[in-house]
């Protein structure tokens, strides 16, 4: 079986970098199977490091890591009265939210994807008051933290204004002020976390930041490497073709091996290279062919290199990895 190796030292190294940069104030983002790394494996390790806050996408992810963290924020699921924190992405969901659920308002400060508009903040706070809801947090997400330009700083200015307005309202109405958070990995390493309670760090935990080249890369280390095992070795004679469509033709006699990984496991069908060397012909559902006869080969140990080859980002390469692959 193909397998994934997770490097504990690299993970701890990244945690040290994030811890220093955020002055100990960060939540780990574990959504989508911890960016393909394995939810339980990563959750246990970061919890034993001492991290108290986690962010996930669904309630079922939250349930499986319950007990490992003091605070778990669920980004997109229906709020329930269960002790988890739920992101509220528009006014209607706020109006429908159960009374005793712990809620966090997502504010749209310029990304225009999810969130309550800046012009709707006071209206939202009135709903909180009118219905006696438990407002625990207010947060936002930046659209251009990883790109050169002033957009991030324009959005941070909007964010500061949001915080002022919410604080003023809490004071006036006698509410305990909610906590505030905004920075993802790129914003943390580019601009810090300003006056927020914490940053929400995803990709940096796993060893990457998708910065434009002009920025200094933080010294992070990839945590995950993907490996495959040999299925069979054969002789391919000069002029013979291998695999679907016979796309690769042997220029001379050669020894080739098949390995037990394919696009069903989450590697891209358009992949041409592995760490070990060139893929001969097409990627099949469950196998690839390479020259040589090594037992185990490394497909990649740097998702960014693969992402560059495929015209995408490290995030996509990682989250596509099948949860069925064994993680060591
Ligand atoms: C995924 C996500 C993050 C983490 O972003 P990274 O770039 O991986 O650090 C933070 N906040 C929200 C709302 C997210 O959806």
């Amino acid at each position: 079986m193909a397998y994934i190796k997770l490097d504990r030292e690299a993970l701890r190294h990244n945690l040290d970098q994030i811890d220093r940069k955020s002055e100990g104030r960060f939540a780990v983002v574990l959504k989508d199977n911890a960016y393909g790394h394995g939810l339980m494996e990563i959750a246990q390790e970061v919890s034993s490091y001492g991290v108290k806050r986690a962010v996930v996408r669904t309630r079922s992810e939250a349930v499986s890591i319950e007990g490992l963290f003091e605070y778990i924020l669920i980004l997109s699921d229906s709020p329930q009265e269960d002790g988890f924190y739920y992101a509220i992405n528009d006014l209607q969901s706020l109006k429908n939210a159960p009374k005793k659920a712990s809620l966090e308002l997502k504010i749209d400060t310029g990304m225009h994807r999810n969130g309550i508009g800046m012009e709707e903040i006071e209206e939202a706070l009135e709903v909180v008051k009118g219905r006696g809801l438990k407002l625990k947090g207010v947060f936002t997400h930046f659209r251009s933290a990883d790109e050169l330009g002033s957009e991030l700083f324009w959005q941070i200015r909007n964010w500061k204004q949001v915080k002022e307005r919410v604080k003023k309202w809490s004071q006036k109405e006698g509410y305990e002020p909610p906590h505030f958070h905004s920075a993802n990995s790129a914003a943390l390493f580019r601009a810090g976390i300003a006056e927020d309670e914490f940053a929400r760090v995803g990709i940096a935990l796993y060893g990457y930041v998708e910065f434009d080249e002009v920025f200094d890369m933080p010294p992070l280390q990839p945590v995950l490497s993907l490996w495959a095992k040999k299925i069979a070795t054969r002789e391919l004679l000069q002029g013979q073709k291998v695999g679907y469509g016979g796309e690769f033709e042997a220029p001379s006699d050669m020894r080739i091996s098949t390995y037990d990984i394919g696009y069903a496991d989450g590697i891209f069908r358009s992949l041409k290279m592995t760490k070990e060397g060139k893929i001969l012909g097409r990627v099949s559902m469950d196998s690839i062919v390479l020259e040589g006869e090594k037992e185990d080969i490394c497909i990649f140990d740097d998702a960014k290199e693969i992402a560059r080859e495929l015209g995408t980002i490290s995030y996509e390469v990682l989250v596509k990895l099948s949860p069925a692959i064994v993680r060591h």
Side-chain angles (χ1 to χ4, degrees), residues 8-176:
R8 178 177 285 120
E9 291 308 312
L11 186 67
R12 296 206 157 227
H13 167 86
N14 298 339
L15 282 162
D16 286 343
Q17 302 298 317
I18 296 161
D19 190 54
R20 186 168 323 137
K21 190 73 193 172
S22 67
E23 293 163 7
R25 286 149 47 211
F26 65 98
V28 288
V29 181
L30 303 177
K31 65 189 180 195
D32 300 290
N33 201 26
Y35 289 41
H37 288 64
L39 176 60
M40 293 318 295
E41 289 84 351
I42 299 294
Q44 266 151 10
E45 198 59 32
V46 296
S47 168
S48 80
Y49 181 90
V51 177
K52 303 276 188 266
R53 300 182 182 101
V55 179
V56 294
R57 180 175 176 187
T58 63
R59 182 168 190 279
S60 95
E61 289 174 331
V63 167
S64 56
I65 57 168
E66 194 173 11
L68 290 174
F69 301 94
E70 287 172 5
Y71 163 90
I72 301 177
L73 171 63
I74 299 170
L75 289 172
S76 52
D77 218 332
S78 307
Q80 296 188 30
E81 301 172 336
D82 54 10
F84 297 129
Y85 290 67
Y86 287 88
I88 294 291
N89 288 298
D90 69 357
L91 264 180
Q92 196 52 49
S93 337
L94 187 64
K95 289 174 183 164
N96 299 337
K99 288 243 165 76
K100 294 199 183 85
S102 296
L103 306 178
E104 302 212 11
L105 295 183
K106 180 155 189 195
I107 307 295
D108 174 15
T109 54
M111 190 162 183
H112 305 322
R113 187 178 62 173
N114 291 323
I116 289 165
M118 286 182 68
E119 68 291 347
E120 298 172 323
I121 292 175
E122 278 73 19
E123 189 183 346
L125 294 172
E126 283 311 307
V127 175
V128 168
K129 188 176 132 191
R131 299 194 57 222
L133 297 172
K134 277 169 65 180
L135 178 64
K136 296 290 197 174
V138 174
F139 73 105
T140 195
H141 195 50
F142 299 125
R143 75 173 181 198
S144 305
D146 49 1
E147 291 168 6
L148 182 64
S150 57
E151 279 213 17
L152 172 63
F153 299 96
W154 155 78
Q155 232 187 314
I156 289 176
R157 260 203 314 280
N158 285 347
W159 173 235
K160 281 192 175 143
Q161 198 202 98
V162 169
K163 290 202 283 188
E164 283 317 309
R165 280 159 63 186
V166 174
K167 279 183 198 160
K168 220 164 99 185
W169 177 85
S170 318
Q171 216 164 31
K172 192 174 104 218
E173 301 292 344
Y175 269 77
E176 186 173 334

Side-chain angles (χ1 to χ4, degrees), residues 279-297:
I279 295 172
L280 306 181
R282 290 188 196 156
V283 172
S284 296
M285 188 183 292
D286 299 323
S287 67
I288 55 173
V289 180
L290 272 80
E291 185 167 13
E293 48 193 309
K294 246 187 180 174
E295 284 302 320
D296 288 30
I297 59 163

Side-chain angles (χ1 to χ4, degrees), residues 241-252:
K241 297 174 175 179
V242 66
Y244 285 111
E247 229 168 67
F248 176 79
E249 183 179 325
S252 54

Side-chain angles (χ1 to χ4, degrees), residues 17 28 32 76 79 92 113 181 194 202 231 259 264-265 299 302 319:
Q17 302 298 317
V28 288
D32 300 290
S76 52
Q92 196 52 49
R113 187 178 62 173
H181 46 103
I231 306 169
Y259 290 89
D265 299 295
I299 307 301
D302 184 343
V319 297

